[in-house]
Amino acid sequence: MSTIETPEVNGLTQPAAAKPPVTPLLELHEMHVYYGAIQALKGINVTVGEGEIVTLLGANGAGKTTTLRTISGLLSPRSGEVRLNGERIDGIPPHHVVALGIGQSPEGRRVFPRMTVLENLQMGAYRFKSVPKAELERVYELFPRLHERRSQQAGTLSGGEQQMLAIGRALMGRPRVLLLDEPSMGLAPLIVAQIFSIIKEINAQGTTVLLVEQNAAQALKLSDRAYVLETGSVMMSGTAGELLADPRVREAYLGEGAGA
Amino acid sequence: MTVQEFWDYLIPGIALGALYAVIAIGYTMVYGVLQLINFAHSEVFMVGGFAVLMVFTKIDFNDPSVGMSVLLVLLGFATAGFAGAGTAFALEKVAYRPLRKRNAPRLAFLISAIGASFLLSNLAGKLFGRNNHSLTIPFENKKVFTVMNAQVTVLQVLIVCSAVIMMIGLDLLVNRTKMGAGIRAVAQDAETAGLMGVDIDKVISRTFIVGGLLGGIAGFLFAMNSSVGYTMGFFPGITAFAAAVVGGIGNVRGAMLGGLLLGLVESFSSPLFGEEWRYVSAFVVLILVLMFRPTGILGERLGRTA
């Protein structure tokens, strides 16, 4: 359905010109982000449709984490827009972005180490007056391990358990879009497979997912579409199948030697 | 030291330690959320003393009845708490928030803290004069009971009871309420707390208000025990800061423990080593604790956790 991205012919044309596969829920439009004088994102355009799993691929320093941090309001774009359901949300502080329905499991998991598993999950629901029971049950169903460990200090959990907690905590805020920053980082292959299958399940239950990954092969198998970032720009985009078949992607991100 | 001396110095030591503990909470909580030693906290304490002095000099009370005494003490708490909380709130807004919004380096915060401390102290000196004012105690400070022949006065009972109530209340607030969860989350990882929907600015403001409330009330209690003056915050402030570090900076229960410990050490140092060692002892303990346990007694970490 979608094609390899056609470069914007003209910045002034209707932004809706590029036809996204489904109703766009989250849109990044010509987003430029700087760290001081250093430009981290050079006008990227990314669309995430309602109900999709979209992956951002790219090497270290390509701007994947910067993209998620900007969506969550931890960074403000110098120019360009972030839109949720057509409404601009760039420049809004993080705690308001969460309330609009964007949850994030940040890079490095960042669980609160001296809080219990349950307290961490409760923090995820901080925006609600009281902790929603249905959400807590859903998270415990997805991650039975978290239920077993609910009174344990989060800092004492294994890496995989901390990742589950970080995802579960983000789900507690009942997000419409879940941003996942490298959920496979530093985890054993078996745990990675488990986490990826849970991400699939979360998506099947109706949550839109924007995933950042270096583990391209597995991420693409799971995704509907993907974007490849290189030094702050979108180099390629398309359906997961298209990218999996693309020789450049195969060589650079799927670890296949330059055979030809 | 005789057994009698032990009891004679134990009781004032506990009262002093309880006050240090309450003040130390203000240092440690602010450190938790901002990684900043709020050196102007000693002036928040001083403001509590001056606020009650102003109110009490307006009221003419001579030999008040028991009911009147209770009312006056409650008025003192309210005045000191309100003044302390207000000062701390304003301090954060004026001296720290602008720096935070500009991502200023750590050193700028420290300089701002010391500057605010000097400013407030000398402003009080200018407004109220540089002599000490005695605060009339609104009750007869008689002996309530004796422990092993050592006298315990009404003021000592008041100090210890109110400090214990404040510490229990604070512990519940931090560990059992949603507001407390927000404070702990910001202390452990502010950015991630923001991602969870915590309004960091609000949490920081509230932390200053709570710390200021306790600091102001401690100023009132301390002033009844000695006097009110523009430098009254300096020594208790620096000792309470030492107490927070001894207990493990950032750890609320550690601050309570450290405060009590330094109060006792200070009190016992005069019969053991002589009165002139009184103000040295607390810092000797600080150095000893840091030599053997750099994170403080209950401290778990010095850096941020990833």
Side-chain angles (χ1 to χ4, degrees):
Chain A
M1 202 158 135
S2 73
T3 54
I4 298 285
E5 179 170 286
T6 48
E8 289 282 316
V9 187
N10 182 344
L12 295 173
T13 51
Q14 292 282 27
K19 36 177 188 129
V22 266
T23 355
L25 181 55
L26 180 69
E27 296 164 279
L28 311 180
H29 178 71
E30 286 298 313
M31 201 169 78
H32 291 262
V33 179
Y34 288 75
Y35 290 107
I38 300 157
Q39 185 165 16
L41 290 176
K42 301 165 185 165
I44 65 163
N45 291 287
V46 170
T47 304
V48 182
E50 179 105 56
E52 280 191 302
I53 300 184
V54 173
T55 296
L56 300 181
L57 295 174
N60 273 332
K64 307 182 302 288
T65 296
T66 303
T67 305
L68 295 196
R69 290 171 63 83
T70 309
I71 296 169
S72 277
L74 294 168
L75 296 167
S76 285
R78 187 168 293 183
S79 65
E81 296 179 2
V82 181
R83 288 192 291 252
L84 180 69
N85 240 2
E87 307 239 356
R88 282 188 69 168
I89 60 161
D90 48 275
I92 292 177
H95 62 275
H96 287 152
V97 174
V98 186
L100 293 172
I102 297 183
Q104 183 176 159
S105 160
E107 186 179 24
R109 325 191 221 288
R110 306 274 288 262
V111 297
F112 297 110
R114 290 180 305 288
M115 287 190 183
T116 64
V117 168
L118 177 60
E119 283 177 316
N120 267 275
L121 293 176
Q122 287 167 339
M123 281 310 300
Y126 194 86
R127 73 184 185 97
F128 301 118
K129 275 218 163 65
S130 60
V131 179
K133 255 203 153 133
E135 245 58 40
L136 191 60
E137 274 165 25
R138 177 189 176 200
V139 169
Y140 281 154
E141 252 166 55
L142 286 166
F143 305 103
R145 184 66 68 86
L146 294 183
H147 185 255
E148 285 166 36
R149 306 256 150 135
R150 62 191 180 279
S151 354
Q152 195 173 322
Q153 296 270 305
T156 66
L157 297 176
S158 72
E161 289 164 345
Q162 289 193 7
Q163 186 58 59
M164 293 175 191
L165 181 55
I167 297 174
R169 186 178 62 176
L171 285 177
M172 289 298 292
R174 207 182 286 153
R176 300 174 62 189
V177 186
L178 178 63
L179 312 179
L180 298 172
D181 200 342
E182 300 227 21
S184 74
M185 194 203 264
L187 301 181
L190 206 66
I191 310 283
V192 174
Q194 196 185 342
I195 296 230
F196 276 25
S197 89
I198 292 169
I199 294 171
K200 191 96 196 165
E201 194 175 334
I202 291 167
N203 177 249
Q205 291 175 4
T207 309
T208 304
V209 176
L210 178 57
L211 176 68
V212 155
E213 261 304 331
Q214 294 211 28
N215 195 334
Q218 274 177 293
L220 284 175
K221 266 182 232 156
L222 176 87
S223 310
D224 297 301
R225 293 184 306 115
Y227 293 79
V228 178
L229 288 181
E230 267 172 38
T231 56
S233 304
V234 173
M235 297 310 288
M236 261 183 277
S237 71
T239 64
E242 285 165 349
L243 288 174
L244 273 170
D246 190 284
R248 288 167 298 172
V249 174
R250 297 184 75 86
E251 188 187 320
Y253 300 104
L254 300 177
E256 293 186 7
Chain B
M1 190 170 66
T2 65
V3 174
Q4 187 55 52
E5 272 181 329
F6 172 79
W7 292 102
D8 283 343
Y9 284 95
L10 177 70
I11 286 148
I14 290 172
L16 189 62
L19 280 181
Y20 287 158
V22 171
I23 308 167
I25 288 168
Y27 283 101
T28 221
M29 283 184 72
V30 165
Y31 183 85
V33 293
L34 282 186
Q35 286 76 54
L36 158 80
I37 302 299
N38 176 18
F39 278 109
H41 190 56
S42 50
E43 275 57 52
V44 169
F45 168 86
M46 171 201 77
V47 166
F50 271 110
V52 179
L53 179 75
M54 281 169 69
V55 170
F56 276 13
T57 46
K58 292 260 176 348
I59 305 168
D60 184 33
F61 55 84
N62 260 324
D63 203 5
S65 65
V66 174
M68 188 66 183
S69 289
V70 172
L71 278 179
L72 285 167
V73 168
L74 290 177
L75 178 69
F77 279 130
T79 308
F82 189 76
T87 307
F89 175 78
L91 185 67
E92 191 270 326
K93 282 256 182 227
V94 174
Y96 305 133
R97 184 159 300 188
L99 296 176
R100 210 151 48 76
K101 294 295 168 199
R102 277 163 219 198
N103 282 321
R106 238 357 104 69
L107 186 62
F109 283 86
L110 193 67
I111 293 167
S112 189
I114 293 169
S117 169
F118 276 47
L119 173 82
L120 286 171
S121 167
N122 286 290
L123 190 66
K126 173 78 185 69
L127 293 175
F128 299 97
R130 290 172 197 271
N131 51 328
N132 280 343
H133 313 262
S134 67
L135 182 69
T136 318
I137 300 178
F139 48 83
E140 192 194 342
N141 191 21
K142 59 186 178 197
K143 175 188 81 175
V144 196
F145 53 86
T146 56
V147 180
M148 307 297 285
N149 281 328
Q151 296 196 1
V152 181
T153 65
V154 178
L155 182 55
Q156 285 168 335
V157 171
L158 178 69
I159 288 174
V160 172
C161 288
S162 47
V164 167
I165 290 169
M166 282 191 278
M167 287 189 270
I168 292 173
L170 183 94
D171 202 77
L172 291 175
L173 177 85
V174 169
N175 292 311
R176 298 283 167 82
T177 67
K178 191 174 170 185
M179 176 180 158
I183 292 174
R184 285 184 294 140
V186 170
Q188 290 180 33
D189 186 341
E191 191 175 274
T192 305
L195 286 179
M196 301 297 115
V198 178
D199 183 342
I200 298 171
D201 286 344
K202 207 186 255 177
V203 164
I204 289 171
S205 266
R206 286 174 175 175
T207 304
F208 271 84
I209 288 172
V210 171
L213 180 88
L214 300 190
I217 291 175
F220 164 51
L221 294 169
F222 186 87
M224 285 195 288
N225 209 13
S226 60
S227 60
V228 180
Y230 77 110
T231 56
M232 68 179 272
F234 180 75
F235 194 78
I238 206 99
T239 310
F241 161 56
V245 175
V246 164
I249 192 86
N251 185 311
V252 171
R253 289 180 185 170
M256 298 178 188
L257 189 68
L260 189 63
L261 177 69
L262 293 196
L264 289 170
V265 166
E266 187 183 318
S267 190
F268 281 125
S269 66
S270 53
L272 286 175
F273 312 110
E275 179 64 26
E276 67 275 20
W277 288 96
R278 187 182 175 90
Y279 297 121
V280 179
S281 56
F283 300 96
V284 173
V285 173
L286 173 69
I287 291 164
L288 286 177
V289 169
L290 291 186
M291 272 169 72
F292 296 104
R293 200 172 154 78
T295 54
I297 299 170
L298 297 183
E300 292 160 68
R301 46 103 212 212
L302 282 179
R304 313 231 77 185
T305 26

